[in-house]
Amino acid sequence: MPEAGFLAAVVLSMPGSIVEPINNSTDVRVNPIVRFNYFSNPGDVERCVNGTRKIGDVLRSRSMEDFKFREWFGGRDFRYVGPALPVDQSNDRLMGEFCRRTVSTIWHYHGGCLVGKVVDRNFRVIGIDALRVVDGSIFTLSPGTNPQATLLMLGRYVGMKILRERMR
């Protein structure tokens, strides 16, 4: 069998942890600074640990044997991009540390600019004039695993709304 690969990841589509803006500069030359607050909500850690354990269960299943590589001394195992899963997956502390050590924001970002907390009902950033946020960060609930169509429609809706406001 030719070498094959796969990707397994835990994705918290609706984390309880909320992004916190650190600076509110209106100067476009100043990079925004935010604190992501990963896993500040204990429920997020628990969900990550449970999801990571599920990945471990799948990797130990017989159907995944064909994806293992031969090792130098005759054994077979997976090749990981990044750290391997903890050996003792029953240990909550180790699993939580693994989640914290490997956390990443590489997927479609949701929920960082919650309506009513970061932006108002018209998607204006609270406390900053003439700036709106119209992307996946304003979603309180994920529209699904690929939000592009929803974002395109939302962008058009808000764009048309801005044009109507300017015509008054």
Side-chain angles (χ1 to χ4, degrees), residues 24-141:
N24 287 329
S25 176
T26 58
D27 185 343
V28 295
R29 295 167 296 189
V30 176
N31 287 330
I33 300 171
V34 297
R35 181 176 295 127
F36 286 99
N37 293 326
Y38 293 125
F39 301 124
S40 61
N41 183 310
D44 292 347
V45 177
E46 181 182 349
R47 291 172 54 213
C48 180
V49 166
N50 291 340
T52 304
R53 283 186 176 131
K54 187 56 70 180
I55 290 173
D57 293 344
V58 169
L59 292 178
R60 287 188 296 278
S61 70
R62 193 173 63 175
S63 61
M64 295 302 291
E65 285 298 315
D66 288 342
F67 290 96
K68 289 184 177 180
F69 292 86
R70 293 190 205 295
E71 294 181 321
W72 285 98
F73 301 106
R76 291 175 56 83
D77 201 359
F78 298 103
R79 290 186 189 156
Y80 295 93
V81 177
L85 295 175
V87 174
D88 180 5
Q89 294 174 17
S90 65
N91 185 315
D92 288 341
R93 185 184 57 77
L94 286 177
M95 294 297 283
E97 287 174 9
F98 177 83
C99 286
R100 285 183 182 88
R101 194 173 65 250
T102 60
V103 68
S104 176
T105 305
I106 59 172
W107 305 104
H108 302 288
Y109 189 63
H110 293 79
C113 288
L114 295 178
V115 175
K117 293 189 178 190
V118 178
V119 297
D120 65 17
R121 314 181 23 213
N122 294 307
F123 308 108
R124 290 184 183 99
V125 177
I126 296 169
I128 299 178
D129 293 332
L131 177 62
R132 296 185 197 227
V133 173
V134 185
D135 64 12
S137 67
I138 57 105
F139 294 151
T140 53
L141 298 173

Side-chain angles (χ1 to χ4, degrees), residues 13-14 108-111 135-154:
S13 61
M14 293 173 42
H108 302 288
Y109 189 63
H110 293 79
D135 64 12
S137 67
I138 57 105
F139 294 151
T140 53
L141 298 173
S142 174
T145 57
N146 191 346
Q148 285 177 306
T150 306
L151 289 168
L152 291 170
M153 289 185 287
L154 181 63

